[in-house]
């Protein structure tokens, strides 16, 4: 059961002019599952992506990077192909060959170059991609392609997710209404480092190709890179942003312009909802926890502390148990890696409850107040470091029996 | 159930001349538990310790550091007082006052200076130490003190441990037989960083005070600093080494001398057994896993990779399930933090089974071979980085339902 997250409704997901989506059952790993999606993009779009920092990155990630590097020469990205059931990671040279074959197959059917296709895979690592099944499924996926199929795609990229993740916003840019729609999937192996497991966003806004990469980076940094479920950075993290350039406003050439800010703000809202949805639907999650660290010398050290708290199995199991065993949070602050941290300046709040002050228990703190907050399904942990003015935030979930069950049974 | 670890027998634990141990039930947190231990050390011993690198270190750790700094002026360490049930961490200035009171109380009863006492606490964080109960329990603990009470002490320092941890060895130094005996406790919040939760070792060997610190550091580095259960570095990690200097051989003034090497080898064997025992009895552990990383440029980068594997919840749950979902190990290698890692050079063995080669699945690898090894209670993961000649090893356990149960219920 995802935490305060309901299934998206097709009616709430606005089509993005210039993008069509089709989904099929290709039997990649199991039969009768929507496991193959194609995203077809009209000519003239600007596309950028950010990808996992895992050095063991999957074959499709390597191809995506390569194709995006050559995007200007190739005539632009025109399609994406996404399979679940197999991550095509840890598969060596053979994995690259198979990923290329899926691009070639889709390109032939669309009469474009293979370099105009971005491939994505998610699922089990170190098993050969059944490329024949993907090739065989492509015609059905292409035939299914429609502008209003965002919900189908959100469902088509799910693995251990229990709920599809998709959000839309509309915003006025230069007097013209534009749409932003995005989807994501997550659940486990989630500690995005520059991107998430899989996230796709599209807008019909007109964005200069020169600022697309920066836009994608800033969106990832403010959303997916603030989410963690289990601290495992995936081999396949990919986040792609598409601007179809269909809207008739002046092209956005700077994110600091008025139009740039308006678009980024709308896109960031969708990106944050998608990233938070991944945490809400984290494997076994029963609580959504915002870890906010303030008073640091730099945002980086605040993030270090926030991740130490968010990854501590002891903190996460205490949240699962609704047990205000809050010393575990202080312990995580202490081992986060700030060498000259002064423990006598640490403050800890749980929502409105002031738990610790000056590094020790707040004299007026009462266990029943901590207990009250711990029972909530949404909790904010606020740590003050007392060293400066920087701050940062990370979202995470608790650690439950179901996480162990899901991951002990994942392949069976 | 600890993994291949049986309870020590009193007859196998050799007394160390110059050390007496007494245990009592002080009711620190719960009644009818051996929760207070004293270690009484004859005059003239050399003592050194290593302590947690957690910046949020507990009050007793702060006092231990201070007392050991002043050991020469104070006349030497003569006693230790150890309580379970309360960690006296995250307790601010008041915690320091309470820790000092336990030292003063024991010192008065033994007619020594408070600075000659080392205090240790383990248990729940951020609750006030019930110092009156400890004071009230001291006479019984002192009255109980005997040289052959090592097993009682090993039991007296247990918290969520399911089994006591104690080992002895004898070794001949300069023609004289000397004894090494040690005890430890662990179970959860175990990722020692310079020491473990609590570990104490004593020998009657004669060791110059000038090399004691180095001896303690080298022992910790080769044992407790290679063990991890959940990656949480405790606020209270303490490891203390005592040489009572009773044995009539020439004093050891260098660890590189013949006698120094012989003593260190025997002490390291005991320290490793104690550290491995903590992992074997890790909360919820069903398997003991040795992670060996070879072919690194430095031992530090090998350790980085070994800890990434040892801390990955996905890897640990796969071991729990005996599921050879070994791509999760490759993913952890990839995100460990080696920026210029070349994935095409990675080798992976599971015991004798060659799982991955050149960064991809080994063509001759068969799932049933991986399955066979995964079912064992002791498994060695061996990763080759193909970058150099350095190597390092870390011991860990799997991640089970019981870990969640134990830590969700710990305070109740």
């Amino acid at each position: 059961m995802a935490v305060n997250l309901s299934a998206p409704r097709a009616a709430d997901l606005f089509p993005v002019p210039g993008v069509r989506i089709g989904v099929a059952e290709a039997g990649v790993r199991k039969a009768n599952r929507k496991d193959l999606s194609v995203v077809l993009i009209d000519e003239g779009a600007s596309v950028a992506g950010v990808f996992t920092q895992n050095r063991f990155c999957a074959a499709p990630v390597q191809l995506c990077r390569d194709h995006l590097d050559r995007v200007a020469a190739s005539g632009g990205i025109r399609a994406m192909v996404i399979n679940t059931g197999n991550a095509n990671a840890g598969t060596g040279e053979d994995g690259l060959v198979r990923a290329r074959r899926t691009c070639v197959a889709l390109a032939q059917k669309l009469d474009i170059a293979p370099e105009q296709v971005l491939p994505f895979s998610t699922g089990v690592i170190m098993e050969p991609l059944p490329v024949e099944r993907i090739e065989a499924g492509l015609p059905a996926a292409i035939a299914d392609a429609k502008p209003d199929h965002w919900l189908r795609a959100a469902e088509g990229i799910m693995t251990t997710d229990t709920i599809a993740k998709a959000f839309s916003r509309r915003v006025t840019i230069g007097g013209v209404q534009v749409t932003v729609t995005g989807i994501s999937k997550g659940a486990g192996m989630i500690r995005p480092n520059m991107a998430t497991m899989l996230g796709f966003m599209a807008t019909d806004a007109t964005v200069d190709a020169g600022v697309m990469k920066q836009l994608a980076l800033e969106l990832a940094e403010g959303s997916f890179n603030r989410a963690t479920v289990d601290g495992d950075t995936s081999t396949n993290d990919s986040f792609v942003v598409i601007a179809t350039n269909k809207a008739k406003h002046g092209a956005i050439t700077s994110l600091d312009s008025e139009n740039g800010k308006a678009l980024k703000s709308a896109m960031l809202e969708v990106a944050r909802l998608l990233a938070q949805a991944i945490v809400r639907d984290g494997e076994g999650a029963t609580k959504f926890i915002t870890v906010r660290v303030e008073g640091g010398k730099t945002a980086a050290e605040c993030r270090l502390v926030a991740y130490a708290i968010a990854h501590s199995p002891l903190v996460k199991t205490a949240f699962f148990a609704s047990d205000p065993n809050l010393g575990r949070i202080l312990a995580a602050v202490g081992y986060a890696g700030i060498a000259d941290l002064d423990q006598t300046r640490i403050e800890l709040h749980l929502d409105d409850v002031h738990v610790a002050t000056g590094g020790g228990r707040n004299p007026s703190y009462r266990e029943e107040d901590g207990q009250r907050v711990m029972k909530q399904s949404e909790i904010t942990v606020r740590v003050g470091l007392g060293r400066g003015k920087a701050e940062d935030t990370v979202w995470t979930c608790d650690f439950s029996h179901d996480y162990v069950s899901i991951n002990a049974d994942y392949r069976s």
Side-chain angles (χ1 to χ4, degrees), chain A:
Chain A
M1 263 299 288
V3 182
N4 299 335
L5 182 69
S6 46
R9 296 186 309 172
D12 294 332
L13 299 173
F14 311 128
V16 177
V19 174
R20 289 173 301 140
I21 298 169
V23 178
E25 297 178 358
V28 173
R29 183 170 181 82
K30 298 190 179 173
N32 307 317
R33 282 196 185 181
K34 293 180 206 150
D35 55 7
L36 181 65
S37 303
V38 295
V39 178
L40 309 182
I41 306 164
D42 282 4
E43 209 165 345
S46 310
V47 179
V50 272
F51 299 92
T52 185
Q53 292 302 299
N54 193 315
R55 297 304 304 167
F56 225 101
C57 65
V61 167
Q62 297 176 55
L63 280 196
C64 276
R65 288 197 174 112
D66 179 52
H67 291 186
L68 284 168
D69 280 349
R70 299 194 275 159
V71 70
S74 74
I77 299 300
R78 294 292 309 283
M80 307 199 295
V81 52
I82 310 147
N83 74 272
T84 63
N86 186 306
N88 196 6
T91 46
E93 186 58 34
D94 177 64
L96 282 170
V97 170
R98 287 168 193 254
R100 259 190 219 107
R101 266 183 64 184
T102 63
C103 295
V104 169
L106 182 56
Q108 283 176 343
K109 289 176 173 54
L110 300 175
D111 199 20
I112 57 177
E115 292 76 27
Q116 294 182 284
V117 179
L118 298 181
F120 305 87
S121 295
T122 176
V124 180
I125 300 175
M126 223 180 64
E127 298 194 0
L129 185 75
V131 64
E132 299 79 6
R133 293 182 206 163
I134 292 173
E135 287 173 348
L138 284 175
I142 295 168
D144 184 60
K146 291 209 177 61
D148 58 356
H149 274 182
W150 282 92
L151 180 56
R152 279 174 68 79
E155 292 165 351
I157 63 174
M158 289 166 68
T159 52
T160 55
D161 307 66
T162 68
I163 208 164
K165 297 158 187 79
F167 298 92
S168 269
R169 288 292 183 273
R170 281 186 168 143
V171 60
T172 301
I173 305 277
V176 178
Q177 178 184 268
V178 306
T179 299
V180 176
T181 299
I183 59 174
S184 66
K185 59 91 48 198
M189 205 176 267
I190 299 293
R191 189 233 170 132
N193 191 355
M194 283 303 134
T196 186
M197 194 67 177
L198 289 181
F200 305 105
M201 286 178 67
T203 177
D204 57 333
T206 299
V207 183
D208 190 83
V211 299
M212 278 303 285
K213 180 77 184 176
Q214 188 195 345
L215 178 62
L217 281 174
E218 290 188 13
L219 291 175
E221 199 57 20
S223 60
F224 297 106
N225 285 351
R226 293 294 170 276
T228 185
V229 169
D230 49 16
D232 277 278
T233 300
S234 155
T235 48
N236 291 55
D237 290 344
S238 303
F239 172 55
V240 170
V241 182
I242 303 160
T244 63
N245 300 325
K246 297 280 187 189
K248 301 294 180 198
H249 57 81
I252 293 170
T253 55
S254 159
L255 298 182
D256 295 326
S257 66
E258 195 180 334
N259 286 351
K261 283 181 187 167
L263 178 66
K264 189 187 148 189
S265 170
M267 294 191 82
L268 192 55
E269 191 186 344
V270 172
R272 283 200 174 132
L273 288 168
L274 291 170
Q276 292 180 354
I278 285 175
V279 173
R280 290 177 189 283
D281 195 23
E283 286 172 343
T286 73
K287 299 202 166 115
F288 179 84
I289 299 152
T290 300
V291 183
R292 180 168 182 76
V293 178
E294 307 168 341
K297 283 186 182 165
T298 63
E301 72 175 28
C302 292
R303 204 152 56 238
L304 205 62
V305 171
Y307 272 120
I309 295 168
H311 291 152
S312 160
L314 291 171
V315 170
K316 290 166 97 79
T317 47
F319 275 109
F320 170 56
S322 299
D323 178 5
N325 193 341
L326 301 171
R328 293 175 177 179
I329 296 177
L330 297 184
V333 172
Y335 70 66
I338 301 183
D340 60 345
L341 186 72
D342 178 359
Q343 65 165 278
T344 69
R345 300 181 69 86
I346 305 300
E347 302 289 316
L348 173 63
H349 282 79
L350 209 64
D351 275 19
D352 56 322
V353 178
H354 194 167
V355 176
T357 185
R361 190 189 180 103
N362 177 9
S364 68
Y365 169 67
R366 296 177 314 155
E367 179 100 357
E368 55 262 43
D369 294 331
Q371 181 76 66
R372 168 175 57 76
V373 178
M374 289 296 278
K375 283 183 177 160
Q376 297 167 188
S377 62
E378 308 233 351
I379 300 166
T380 296
V381 174
R382 191 151 57 85
V383 173
L385 298 179
R387 297 160 51 86
K389 295 189 178 300
E391 56 189 36
D392 211 339
T393 296
V394 160
W395 308 300
T396 192
C397 56
D398 58 335
F399 211 159
S400 70
H401 281 293
D402 283 354
Y403 180 90
V404 177
S405 298
I406 292 165
N407 283 298
D409 302 342
Y410 177 41
R411 299 201 320 168
S412 36

